């Protein structure tokens, strides 16, 4: 479902500026926006991807808290 909001952007701008987010690139090429909760945990804010399997993965669901250790790539 798509919602369209009609109105001046300055009304909605404070809503979008409340969170400081970081972008994480997924192996599939998608982008996961997260906000930092602690040194080892982040909360998923949004997912931008063209791969449908990213949206079916429960780890990437908005609001989910995940460990930063998942993003560290070993050698």
């Amino acid at each position: 479902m798509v919602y369209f909001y009609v109105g001046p952007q300055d009304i909605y701008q404070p809503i979008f500026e409340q969170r400081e987010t970081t972008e994480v690139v997924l192996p599939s090429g998608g982008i996961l926006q997260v906000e930092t909760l602690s040194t080892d945990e982040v909360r998923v804010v949004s997912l931008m991807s063209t791969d449908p399997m990213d949206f079916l993965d429960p780890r990437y669901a908005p609001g989910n808290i995940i460990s930063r250790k998942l993003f560290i790539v070993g050698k």
Side-chain angles (χ1 to χ4, degrees), residues 48-66:
M48 295 179 287
S49 177
T50 57
D51 185 4
M53 294 308 294
D54 286 342
F55 292 97
L56 296 175
D57 192 341
R59 294 179 296 173
Y60 304 145
N64 193 19
I65 298 173
I66 53 179

Side-chain angles (χ1 to χ4, degrees), residues 29-73:
I31 297 174
L32 196 64
Q33 287 186 336
V34 296
E35 64 179 346
T36 303
L37 297 177
S38 67
T39 56
D40 4 335
E41 290 184 332
V42 293
R43 176 180 291 134
V44 177
V45 176
S46 69
L47 171 64
M48 295 179 287
S49 177
T50 57
D51 185 4
M53 294 308 294
D54 286 342
F55 292 97
L56 296 175
D57 192 341
R59 294 179 296 173
Y60 304 145
N64 193 19
I65 298 173
I66 53 179
S67 173
R68 282 186 189 255
K69 295 176 186 176
L70 292 175
F71 301 120
I72 299 174
V73 178

